[in-house]
Amino acid sequence: MHDHNAAQLLAKVMDWRDLDAPPLFLPTLQLLADYKYDHYQRFGPGRRFIESLALWLDQFSPEDREAALELVTRRLVYFSDAEFTHLVSTAYPDLIVQERMRLVAEEHDISAHLVGKISRHARFNELRLKSLYLGLSDGARTNELRRASGGDITNEQIWQAYELSDEKADDMLKELKATLTDSGFKLEQPRFNLIWLLDDFSGSGNTYIRYDSEKRTFKGKIKKIFERLHRGDLVDPSHYEVFLLLYTATRQAIDHIEYWSERFTSEKGYKPLQVRVLCPIEPEISLKREPDPKIRALLEKTNYYDARATDKHIEVGGTSDARMGFAGCALPVVLSHNSPNNSIYMLWGPESYKPFGLFPRVSRHREF
């Protein structure tokens, strides 16, 4: 290991007597640190992964440190910034364009394999221009998506937030009309046909759509977006499609969003939401049914949790605490820009808490 001081600290915590003959996995761990973990954006200034790992392990009882280390070396799923950039770069050509081609083929009864005929059809270009892209969080990477489109998406079609003011909507529609006119499409009142809702990750799906059984009402971003779209100024109410494009999401979140959005849209008479995920996280990734007895025993211990992590936002997920993450997702997942609270608390606990997480999280919500 080239970071000798950090290696010595880790060896001391783990009680490894011979630093010159460390366990075989350490070179791999250092490689992953260089390639991914050192670049976690919520580490403090000068902090690197191996040092953070040693300080994190030191919080555990000596008999639990081996299981904690195995949790990291065998079960951690880390999405690097480069990996997210790759997902964003594939989103437009591999998914968005393909959906547009499918719609044109269905509208004009063209066989799906006649790619050239579909792409040359005027409707294909019209739908490109009449597509609106809205970011659902700061992880939506809207600028990266626009650049990855090779100029097919313009500044006037994309916005980094889903709550559009009337003034912004008016500006977008004016630009849409001008662009359509320049392209030879004469429309008195142009509206968007395709709405793309963009986000980087969903662990449970609750943020997007959920049902409050006490108040008998739906809540979440999807509800707000559909209500905004159906004010009639942005979309053509007789012809529109709404897509939720997630760069990565758990199968639990996908099932949740599809089920509750179908309930919501059918009840309100809206067009159904179509969910598209570039990199699904399958159920076996979750630690809910962890087969390793040592890791399972570690997760069951309550003394490695700070009760301050339980707040009104965690309670929305239906659990009494956040030990196993928001909504009990029990994920071992870390995102390069922030750890999701759907992961186990041991990974994301804030630095000011005791114990703190290996990849401390900065919450979107702040308690005063």
Side-chain angles (χ1 to χ4, degrees), residues 1-21:
M1 298 176 67
H2 58 256
D3 193 338
H4 191 70
N5 290 335
Q8 285 186 318
L9 178 60
L10 182 58
K12 181 178 180 180
V13 170
M14 294 303 297
D15 197 26
W16 292 327
R17 303 297 182 182
D18 186 3
L19 184 58
D20 294 328

Side-chain angles (χ1 to χ4, degrees), residues 99 102-103 241-245 258 272-276:
E99 290 291 346
R102 177 184 63 82
L103 290 169
E241 301 284 347
V242 182
F243 296 89
L244 173 61
L245 172 54
E258 289 182 336
L273 176 74
Q274 301 187 54
V275 182
R276 302 290 185 267

Side-chain angles (χ1 to χ4, degrees), residues 28-49:
T28 301
L29 198 60
Q30 182 64 66
L31 177 63
L32 286 169
D34 292 342
Y35 180 63
K36 288 188 174 186
Y37 305 155
D38 281 348
H39 306 289
Y40 180 62
Q41 295 174 20
R42 301 305 176 188
F43 279 154
R47 179 73 66 85
R48 299 175 70 180
F49 173 71

Side-chain angles (χ1 to χ4, degrees), residues 14 57 63-72 294-295 298:
M14 294 303 297
L57 289 169
E63 64 272 15
D64 290 331
R65 289 173 187 168
E66 183 180 348
L69 187 58
E70 286 194 20
L71 172 67
V72 174
K294 292 185 294 184
I295 296 179
L298 177 68

Side-chain angles (χ1 to χ4, degrees), residues 301-362:
K301 295 189 176 183
T302 59
N303 54 314
Y304 299 131
Y305 179 70
D306 191 320
R308 288 178 292 176
T310 304
D311 57 23
K312 62 183 181 181
H313 307 294
I314 292 297
E315 291 171 359
V316 171
T319 59
S320 59
D321 62 48
R323 273 192 315 119
M324 300 302 282
F326 181 82
C329 292
L331 297 177
V333 173
V334 173
L335 312 181
S336 61
H337 60 280
N338 208 11
S339 293
N341 63 0
N342 305 99
S343 290
I344 57 172
Y345 171 84
M346 290 179 189
L347 290 179
W348 62 260
E351 280 188 297
S352 59
Y353 287 11
K354 300 294 182 183
F356 54 83
L358 178 57
F359 295 94
R361 168 181 171 79
V362 174

